[in-house]
Amino acid sequence: MGDFARSMAQMFSAGAQAARRASQQDPAVTLAPQIADARAAFALVRSRAKEWRVDPERIGMVGFSAGAMLTMATALHGQDAKPAFIGNVYGPLAPMKAPPDAPPLFIALAADDPLFGNAGYGLVDSWRAARRPVEFHLYEQGGHGFGMYRKSTTSTGWFDGFARWLDMRGYLKPKKGA
């Protein structure tokens, strides 16, 4: 293994350890300022929904990596944020208690993600145990951050899968009677 490969492996190993530690802490406490920002964003969009031609009942949240952690924390601890749907893209999949009204969840992860690819699929199981909708895409390759640019892997198609999921759930169609 070359020096560069060794340094990258060491960096990602440290990142994976930090991510595991963070997932074991109470996100309602550790992410309180960020959850407050997310709540403010939901409140702003809802307050301007008519002007922006947005259905206030169809506002969701999607996060990537650390943003996926915030998305999950907002869905679980964001009080009035109440996202209509959530997306966790290359974020941790640690199990958590899904509330009975948990929003539909879309997950995309690469099996070779050095941070979260080998951490199990507890989040999927948590949503299923609560009988809440969950769509899970595990790509063979893509690493961490596959959504930042086109790759020659199937993970490049994650957004098309996400858009199809949104359409299937009715989020892309005009509301009946509207």
Side-chain angles (χ1 to χ4, degrees):
M1 179 185 281
D3 289 341
F4 177 75
R6 251 190 309 284
S7 69
M8 291 304 290
Q10 181 180 13
M11 179 181 72
F12 278 120
S13 174
Q17 291 168 4
R20 277 191 290 279
R21 282 192 304 277
S23 71
Q24 294 168 352
Q25 297 172 349
D26 182 1
V29 174
T30 59
L31 296 176
Q34 294 87 346
I35 293 171
D37 285 348
R39 290 178 63 205
F42 274 94
L44 172 66
V45 173
R46 287 187 177 121
S47 74
R48 312 280 300 269
K50 189 171 185 173
E51 174 188 348
W52 292 345
R53 298 181 186 169
V54 173
D55 183 341
E57 296 175 22
R58 292 182 175 191
I59 302 167
M61 185 172 183
V62 180
F64 301 78
S65 192
M69 293 181 208
L70 176 58
T71 297
M72 299 308 301
T74 300
L76 298 174
H77 308 289
Q79 301 156 344
D80 55 348
K82 301 238 180 272
F85 61 86
I86 53 177
N88 177 329
V89 184
Y90 41 86
L93 300 184
M96 56 182 61
K97 177 104 173 93
D101 63 344
L105 170 61
F106 178 92
I107 300 170
L109 180 70
D112 65 347
D113 184 322
L115 298 180
F116 305 117
N118 294 316
Y121 312 114
L123 181 59
V124 176
D125 296 334
S126 298
W127 247 244
R128 289 177 47 88
R131 300 193 186 291
R132 299 306 301 150
V134 60
E135 173 103 357
F136 179 41
H137 294 253
L138 179 65
Y139 298 101
E140 177 185 354
Q141 296 177 17
H144 191 75
F146 57 76
M148 292 190 290
Y149 56 90
R150 293 191 65 76
K151 293 185 169 196
S152 61
T153 64
T154 57
S155 61
T156 290
W158 81 269
F159 187 79
D160 293 331
F162 179 60
R164 285 192 304 276
W165 178 76
L166 288 172
D167 189 42
M168 176 191 78
R169 299 217 45 87
Y171 292 115
L172 301 183
K173 298 175 183 85
K175 201 175 202 177
K176 290 184 180 177

